[in-house]
mmCIF file of all heavy atoms in Angstrom:
data_model
loop_
_atom_site.group_PDB
_atom_site.id
_atom_site.type_symbol
_atom_site.label_atom_id
_atom_site.label_comp_id
_atom_site.label_asym_id
_atom_site.label_seq_id
_atom_site.Cartn_x
_atom_site.Cartn_y
_atom_site.Cartn_z
ATOM 1 N N HIS A 1 -37.170 103.009 -61.784
ATOM 2 C CA HIS A 1 -37.906 102.996 -63.042
ATOM 3 C C HIS A 1 -37.797 104.335 -63.756
ATOM 4 O O HIS A 1 -38.261 104.473 -64.881
ATOM 5 C CB HIS A 1 -39.381 102.693 -62.789
ATOM 6 C CG HIS A 1 -39.629 101.315 -62.278
ATOM 7 N ND1 HIS A 1 -39.195 100.197 -62.941
ATOM 8 C CD2 HIS A 1 -40.263 100.873 -61.164
ATOM 9 C CE1 HIS A 1 -39.562 99.112 -62.262
ATOM 10 N NE2 HIS A 1 -40.200 99.507 -61.193
ATOM 11 N N ARG A 2 -37.200 105.325 -63.095
ATOM 12 C CA ARG A 2 -37.076 106.650 -63.676
ATOM 13 C C ARG A 2 -35.778 106.715 -64.485
ATOM 14 O O ARG A 2 -34.687 106.905 -63.930
ATOM 15 C CB ARG A 2 -37.099 107.715 -62.585
ATOM 16 C CG ARG A 2 -38.409 107.719 -61.787
ATOM 17 C CD ARG A 2 -38.419 108.789 -60.723
ATOM 18 N NE ARG A 2 -39.686 108.843 -60.032
ATOM 19 C CZ ARG A 2 -40.002 109.748 -59.097
ATOM 20 N NH1 ARG A 2 -39.113 110.678 -58.773
ATOM 21 N NH2 ARG A 2 -41.178 109.725 -58.502
ATOM 22 N N LEU A 3 -35.910 106.553 -65.780
ATOM 23 C CA LEU A 3 -34.729 106.409 -66.623
ATOM 24 C C LEU A 3 -33.875 107.674 -66.648
ATOM 25 O O LEU A 3 -32.650 107.592 -66.799
ATOM 26 C CB LEU A 3 -35.143 106.004 -68.037
ATOM 27 C CG LEU A 3 -35.848 104.644 -68.143
ATOM 28 C CD1 LEU A 3 -36.066 104.270 -69.601
ATOM 29 C CD2 LEU A 3 -35.057 103.555 -67.423
ATOM 30 N N LYS A 4 -34.495 108.835 -66.513
ATOM 31 C CA LYS A 4 -33.701 110.070 -66.483
ATOM 32 C C LYS A 4 -32.741 110.061 -65.300
ATOM 33 O O LYS A 4 -31.590 110.495 -65.417
ATOM 34 C CB LYS A 4 -34.624 111.292 -66.421
ATOM 35 C CG LYS A 4 -35.373 111.571 -67.718
ATOM 36 C CD LYS A 4 -36.208 112.834 -67.635
ATOM 37 C CE LYS A 4 -36.932 113.096 -68.954
ATOM 38 N NZ LYS A 4 -37.796 114.305 -68.877
ATOM 39 N N GLU A 5 -33.202 109.553 -64.157
ATOM 40 C CA GLU A 5 -32.340 109.441 -62.986
ATOM 41 C C GLU A 5 -31.213 108.451 -63.246
ATOM 42 O O GLU A 5 -30.056 108.690 -62.887
ATOM 43 C CB GLU A 5 -33.152 108.969 -61.769
ATOM 44 C CG GLU A 5 -34.158 109.965 -61.271
ATOM 45 C CD GLU A 5 -34.929 109.409 -60.079
ATOM 46 O OE1 GLU A 5 -34.573 108.318 -59.610
ATOM 47 O OE2 GLU A 5 -35.864 110.079 -59.633
ATOM 48 N N VAL A 6 -31.559 107.325 -63.862
ATOM 49 C CA VAL A 6 -30.576 106.290 -64.158
ATOM 50 C C VAL A 6 -29.443 106.854 -64.999
ATOM 51 O O VAL A 6 -28.255 106.623 -64.727
ATOM 52 C CB VAL A 6 -31.246 105.096 -64.875
ATOM 53 C CG1 VAL A 6 -30.208 104.169 -65.490
ATOM 54 C CG2 VAL A 6 -32.143 104.327 -63.904
ATOM 55 N N PHE A 7 -29.787 107.623 -66.028
ATOM 56 C CA PHE A 7 -28.762 108.187 -66.905
ATOM 57 C C PHE A 7 -27.982 109.303 -66.214
ATOM 58 O O PHE A 7 -26.822 109.556 -66.547
ATOM 59 C CB PHE A 7 -29.401 108.704 -68.203
ATOM 60 C CG PHE A 7 -29.666 107.623 -69.198
ATOM 61 C CD1 PHE A 7 -30.903 106.982 -69.226
ATOM 62 C CD2 PHE A 7 -28.685 107.216 -70.082
ATOM 63 C CE1 PHE A 7 -31.148 105.964 -70.136
ATOM 64 C CE2 PHE A 7 -28.921 106.197 -70.989
ATOM 65 C CZ PHE A 7 -30.154 105.562 -71.024
ATOM 66 N N HIS A 8 -28.599 109.949 -65.245
ATOM 67 C CA HIS A 8 -27.929 111.048 -64.546
ATOM 68 C C HIS A 8 -26.907 110.545 -63.528
ATOM 69 O O HIS A 8 -25.832 111.155 -63.379
ATOM 70 C CB HIS A 8 -28.972 111.923 -63.835
ATOM 71 C CG HIS A 8 -28.387 113.051 -63.051
ATOM 72 N ND1 HIS A 8 -27.883 114.187 -63.643
ATOM 73 C CD2 HIS A 8 -28.204 113.209 -61.711
ATOM 74 C CE1 HIS A 8 -27.420 115.004 -62.710
ATOM 75 N NE2 HIS A 8 -27.600 114.433 -61.530
ATOM 76 N N ILE A 9 -27.207 109.441 -62.853
ATOM 77 C CA ILE A 9 -26.417 109.062 -61.684
ATOM 78 C C ILE A 9 -25.500 107.869 -61.897
ATOM 79 O O ILE A 9 -24.542 107.675 -61.149
ATOM 80 C CB ILE A 9 -27.367 108.781 -60.485
ATOM 81 C CG1 ILE A 9 -26.621 108.872 -59.155
ATOM 82 C CG2 ILE A 9 -28.055 107.439 -60.631
ATOM 83 C CD1 ILE A 9 -26.121 110.260 -58.826
ATOM 84 N N SER A 10 -25.743 107.029 -62.914
ATOM 85 C CA SER A 10 -25.006 105.762 -63.023
ATOM 86 C C SER A 10 -23.908 105.788 -64.073
ATOM 87 O O SER A 10 -23.933 106.597 -65.000
ATOM 88 C CB SER A 10 -25.980 104.618 -63.341
ATOM 89 O OG SER A 10 -26.474 104.731 -64.663
ATOM 90 N N GLU A 11 -22.938 104.864 -63.911
ATOM 91 C CA GLU A 11 -21.921 104.622 -64.936
ATOM 92 C C GLU A 11 -22.229 103.366 -65.735
ATOM 93 O O GLU A 11 -21.741 103.197 -66.849
ATOM 94 C CB GLU A 11 -20.537 104.436 -64.304
ATOM 95 C CG GLU A 11 -19.920 105.693 -63.742
ATOM 96 C CD GLU A 11 -20.420 106.005 -62.349
ATOM 97 O OE1 GLU A 11 -20.550 105.072 -61.544
ATOM 98 O OE2 GLU A 11 -20.715 107.183 -62.085
ATOM 99 N N LYS A 12 -23.046 102.491 -65.129
ATOM 100 C CA LYS A 12 -23.309 101.193 -65.734
ATOM 101 C C LYS A 12 -24.756 100.816 -65.456
ATOM 102 O O LYS A 12 -25.299 101.135 -64.398
ATOM 103 C CB LYS A 12 -22.350 100.157 -65.131
ATOM 104 C CG LYS A 12 -22.611 98.708 -65.465
ATOM 105 C CD LYS A 12 -21.562 97.858 -64.765
ATOM 106 C CE LYS A 12 -21.878 96.391 -64.854
ATOM 107 N NZ LYS A 12 -20.862 95.582 -64.161
ATOM 108 N N ILE A 13 -25.394 100.136 -66.422
ATOM 109 C CA ILE A 13 -26.789 99.729 -66.279
ATOM 110 C C ILE A 13 -26.897 98.233 -66.552
ATOM 111 O O ILE A 13 -26.432 97.750 -67.591
ATOM 112 C CB ILE A 13 -27.707 100.498 -67.248
ATOM 113 C CG1 ILE A 13 -27.560 102.010 -67.049
ATOM 114 C CG2 ILE A 13 -29.169 100.067 -67.058
ATOM 115 C CD1 ILE A 13 -28.263 102.842 -68.114
ATOM 116 N N VAL A 14 -27.499 97.509 -65.611
ATOM 117 C CA VAL A 14 -27.775 96.080 -65.780
ATOM 118 C C VAL A 14 -29.274 95.912 -66.001
ATOM 119 O O VAL A 14 -30.088 96.445 -65.237
ATOM 120 C CB VAL A 14 -27.331 95.267 -64.545
ATOM 121 C CG1 VAL A 14 -27.795 93.812 -64.658
ATOM 122 C CG2 VAL A 14 -25.822 95.328 -64.392
ATOM 123 N N VAL A 15 -29.667 95.185 -67.045
ATOM 124 C CA VAL A 15 -31.070 94.988 -67.394
ATOM 125 C C VAL A 15 -31.489 93.554 -67.084
ATOM 126 O O VAL A 15 -30.818 92.595 -67.492
ATOM 127 C CB VAL A 15 -31.319 95.283 -68.889
ATOM 128 C CG1 VAL A 15 -32.801 95.136 -69.217
ATOM 129 C CG2 VAL A 15 -30.820 96.679 -69.260
ATOM 130 N N LEU A 16 -32.605 93.422 -66.344
ATOM 131 C CA LEU A 16 -33.214 92.120 -66.090
ATOM 132 C C LEU A 16 -34.581 92.069 -66.762
ATOM 133 O O LEU A 16 -35.275 93.076 -66.855
ATOM 134 C CB LEU A 16 -33.393 91.879 -64.584
ATOM 135 C CG LEU A 16 -32.148 91.848 -63.700
ATOM 136 C CD1 LEU A 16 -32.541 91.562 -62.253
ATOM 137 C CD2 LEU A 16 -31.141 90.813 -64.181
ATOM 138 N N LYS A 17 -34.961 90.889 -67.221
ATOM 139 C CA LYS A 17 -36.296 90.684 -67.792
ATOM 140 C C LYS A 17 -36.757 89.281 -67.462
ATOM 141 O O LYS A 17 -36.050 88.297 -67.714
ATOM 142 C CB LYS A 17 -36.283 90.887 -69.305
ATOM 143 C CG LYS A 17 -37.654 90.638 -69.963
ATOM 144 C CD LYS A 17 -37.614 90.986 -71.448
ATOM 145 C CE LYS A 17 -38.910 90.566 -72.132
ATOM 146 N NZ LYS A 17 -40.104 91.196 -71.518
ATOM 147 N N ASP A 18 -37.961 89.180 -66.851
ATOM 148 C CA ASP A 18 -38.547 87.880 -66.498
ATOM 149 C C ASP A 18 -37.580 87.023 -65.689
ATOM 150 O O ASP A 18 -37.482 85.805 -65.877
ATOM 151 C CB ASP A 18 -38.977 87.125 -67.757
ATOM 152 C CG ASP A 18 -40.053 87.857 -68.537
ATOM 153 O OD1 ASP A 18 -40.866 88.562 -67.901
ATOM 154 O OD2 ASP A 18 -40.074 87.749 -69.775
ATOM 155 N N GLY A 19 -36.851 87.658 -64.766
ATOM 156 C CA GLY A 19 -35.954 86.923 -63.891
ATOM 157 C C GLY A 19 -34.623 86.560 -64.503
ATOM 158 O O GLY A 19 -33.811 85.876 -63.871
ATOM 159 N N LYS A 20 -34.361 87.015 -65.719
ATOM 160 C CA LYS A 20 -33.121 86.658 -66.409
ATOM 161 C C LYS A 20 -32.272 87.905 -66.677
ATOM 162 O O LYS A 20 -32.801 88.991 -66.890
ATOM 163 C CB LYS A 20 -33.422 85.963 -67.746
ATOM 164 C CG LYS A 20 -34.187 84.655 -67.615
ATOM 165 C CD LYS A 20 -34.501 84.088 -69.003
ATOM 166 C CE LYS A 20 -35.300 82.803 -68.914
ATOM 167 N NZ LYS A 20 -35.646 82.281 -70.260
ATOM 168 N N TYR A 21 -30.962 87.686 -66.664
ATOM 169 C CA TYR A 21 -30.031 88.738 -67.062
ATOM 170 C C TYR A 21 -30.133 88.943 -68.566
ATOM 171 O O TYR A 21 -30.079 87.984 -69.341
ATOM 172 C CB TYR A 21 -28.614 88.323 -66.662
ATOM 173 C CG TYR A 21 -27.507 89.134 -67.294
ATOM 174 C CD1 TYR A 21 -27.047 90.305 -66.695
ATOM 175 C CD2 TYR A 21 -26.917 88.727 -68.488
ATOM 176 C CE1 TYR A 21 -26.025 91.047 -67.273
ATOM 177 C CE2 TYR A 21 -25.892 89.457 -69.069
ATOM 178 C CZ TYR A 21 -25.449 90.610 -68.464
ATOM 179 O OH TYR A 21 -24.444 91.340 -69.037
ATOM 180 N N VAL A 22 -30.309 90.200 -68.997
ATOM 181 C CA VAL A 22 -30.390 90.514 -70.428
ATOM 182 C C VAL A 22 -29.066 91.064 -70.934
ATOM 183 O O VAL A 22 -28.474 90.541 -71.877
ATOM 184 C CB VAL A 22 -31.523 91.524 -70.713
ATOM 185 C CG1 VAL A 22 -31.533 91.912 -72.192
ATOM 186 C CG2 VAL A 22 -32.868 90.945 -70.302
ATOM 187 N N THR A 23 -28.590 92.121 -70.281
ATOM 188 C CA THR A 23 -27.335 92.739 -70.713
ATOM 189 C C THR A 23 -26.880 93.729 -69.655
ATOM 190 O O THR A 23 -27.645 94.090 -68.750
ATOM 191 C CB THR A 23 -27.513 93.482 -72.060
ATOM 192 O OG1 THR A 23 -26.243 93.910 -72.543
ATOM 193 C CG2 THR A 23 -28.412 94.700 -71.902
ATOM 194 N N ASP A 24 -25.621 94.154 -69.747
ATOM 195 C CA ASP A 24 -25.191 95.342 -69.009
ATOM 196 C C ASP A 24 -24.444 96.234 -69.981
ATOM 197 O O ASP A 24 -23.726 95.759 -70.863
ATOM 198 C CB ASP A 24 -24.352 94.995 -67.781
ATOM 199 C CG ASP A 24 -23.054 94.302 -68.115
ATOM 200 O OD1 ASP A 24 -22.090 94.993 -68.478
ATOM 201 O OD2 ASP A 24 -23.002 93.061 -68.006
ATOM 202 N N VAL A 25 -24.685 97.531 -69.838
ATOM 203 C CA VAL A 25 -24.128 98.507 -70.773
ATOM 204 C C VAL A 25 -23.547 99.685 -70.005
ATOM 205 O O VAL A 25 -24.007 100.016 -68.912
ATOM 206 C CB VAL A 25 -25.205 99.029 -71.757
ATOM 207 C CG1 VAL A 25 -25.646 97.940 -72.702
ATOM 208 C CG2 VAL A 25 -26.409 99.587 -70.993
ATOM 209 N N GLU A 26 -22.532 100.298 -70.572
ATOM 210 C CA GLU A 26 -22.015 101.543 -70.010
ATOM 211 C C GLU A 26 -23.028 102.642 -70.304
ATOM 212 O O GLU A 26 -23.480 102.794 -71.442
ATOM 213 C CB GLU A 26 -20.658 101.876 -70.625
ATOM 214 C CG GLU A 26 -19.563 100.897 -70.263
ATOM 215 C CD GLU A 26 -18.247 101.271 -70.925
ATOM 216 O OE1 GLU A 26 -17.992 102.489 -71.075
ATOM 217 O OE2 GLU A 26 -17.502 100.349 -71.301
ATOM 218 N N THR A 27 -23.393 103.390 -69.279
ATOM 219 C CA THR A 27 -24.462 104.382 -69.406
ATOM 220 C C THR A 27 -24.263 105.369 -70.552
ATOM 221 O O THR A 27 -25.206 105.621 -71.321
ATOM 222 C CB THR A 27 -24.641 105.143 -68.078
ATOM 223 O OG1 THR A 27 -24.851 104.193 -67.020
ATOM 224 C CG2 THR A 27 -25.823 106.081 -68.136
ATOM 225 N N PRO A 28 -23.055 105.916 -70.750
ATOM 226 C CA PRO A 28 -22.893 106.884 -71.848
ATOM 227 C C PRO A 28 -23.047 106.269 -73.241
ATOM 228 O O PRO A 28 -23.207 107.007 -74.217
ATOM 229 C CB PRO A 28 -21.464 107.411 -71.645
ATOM 230 C CG PRO A 28 -21.106 107.065 -70.241
ATOM 231 C CD PRO A 28 -21.821 105.799 -69.942
ATOM 232 N N LYS A 29 -23.001 104.937 -73.334
ATOM 233 C CA LYS A 29 -23.035 104.281 -74.638
ATOM 234 C C LYS A 29 -24.419 103.771 -75.023
ATOM 235 O O LYS A 29 -24.557 102.998 -75.969
ATOM 236 C CB LYS A 29 -22.025 103.131 -74.669
ATOM 237 C CG LYS A 29 -20.575 103.590 -74.551
ATOM 238 C CD LYS A 29 -19.611 102.426 -74.648
ATOM 239 C CE LYS A 29 -18.163 102.910 -74.561
ATOM 240 N NZ LYS A 29 -17.197 101.776 -74.649
ATOM 241 N N THR A 30 -25.463 104.179 -74.274
ATOM 242 C CA THR A 30 -26.823 103.758 -74.625
ATOM 243 C C THR A 30 -27.757 104.953 -74.502
ATOM 244 O O THR A 30 -27.336 106.064 -74.210
ATOM 245 C CB THR A 30 -27.293 102.592 -73.718
ATOM 246 O OG1 THR A 30 -28.555 102.098 -74.200
ATOM 247 C CG2 THR A 30 -27.441 103.037 -72.279
ATOM 248 N N ASN A 31 -29.042 104.731 -74.739
ATOM 249 C CA ASN A 31 -30.035 105.791 -74.616
ATOM 250 C C ASN A 31 -31.347 105.190 -74.119
ATOM 251 O O ASN A 31 -31.468 103.968 -73.983
ATOM 252 C CB ASN A 31 -30.245 106.520 -75.950
ATOM 253 C CG ASN A 31 -30.626 105.556 -77.070
ATOM 254 O OD1 ASN A 31 -31.608 104.820 -76.981
ATOM 255 N ND2 ASN A 31 -29.828 105.547 -78.141
ATOM 256 N N GLU A 32 -32.321 106.055 -73.843
ATOM 257 C CA GLU A 32 -33.576 105.584 -73.246
ATOM 258 C C GLU A 32 -34.304 104.599 -74.150
ATOM 259 O O GLU A 32 -34.815 103.579 -73.681
ATOM 260 C CB GLU A 32 -34.483 106.774 -72.899
ATOM 261 C CG GLU A 32 -34.011 107.575 -71.709
ATOM 262 C CD GLU A 32 -35.086 108.504 -71.165
ATOM 263 O OE1 GLU A 32 -36.280 108.236 -71.435
ATOM 264 O OE2 GLU A 32 -34.743 109.471 -70.467
ATOM 265 N N GLN A 33 -34.395 104.897 -75.422
ATOM 266 C CA GLN A 33 -35.137 104.021 -76.327
ATOM 267 C C GLN A 33 -34.508 102.633 -76.415
ATOM 268 O O GLN A 33 -35.208 101.618 -76.422
ATOM 269 C CB GLN A 33 -35.220 104.656 -77.727
ATOM 270 C CG GLN A 33 -36.182 105.823 -77.825
ATOM 271 C CD GLN A 33 -37.601 105.450 -77.410
ATOM 272 O OE1 GLN A 33 -38.125 104.415 -77.792
ATOM 273 N NE2 GLN A 33 -38.216 106.302 -76.589
ATOM 274 N N GLU A 34 -33.187 102.578 -76.477
ATOM 275 C CA GLU A 34 -32.505 101.291 -76.526
ATOM 276 C C GLU A 34 -32.723 100.520 -75.224
ATOM 277 O O GLU A 34 -32.961 99.306 -75.228
ATOM 278 C CB GLU A 34 -31.010 101.494 -76.765
ATOM 279 C CG GLU A 34 -30.237 100.179 -76.929
ATOM 280 C CD GLU A 34 -28.761 100.397 -77.193
ATOM 281 O OE1 GLU A 34 -28.150 101.227 -76.473
ATOM 282 O OE2 GLU A 34 -28.237 99.757 -78.110
#
């Protein structure tokens, strides 16, 4: 849940919401607010 860690260590981020896949994004191409 620590987004600063997520942006520091990952190349890719997969987002889930309410048990469903929302999106996956390349870490350098997104930001915390998005």
Side-chain angles (χ1 to χ4, degrees):
H1 293 305
R2 299 181 176 184
L3 297 187
K4 288 183 179 178
E5 292 179 6
V6 166
F7 279 92
H8 178 75
I9 200 66
S10 70
E11 288 83 41
K12 170 180 171 181
I13 304 171
V14 172
V15 183
L16 299 181
K17 178 174 173 58
D18 298 329
K20 298 177 182 178
Y21 166 88
V22 176
T23 188
D24 63 81
V25 292
E26 294 179 34
T27 306
K29 295 182 179 180
T30 187
N31 56 57
E32 288 195 21
Q33 286 303 315
E34 184 179 46

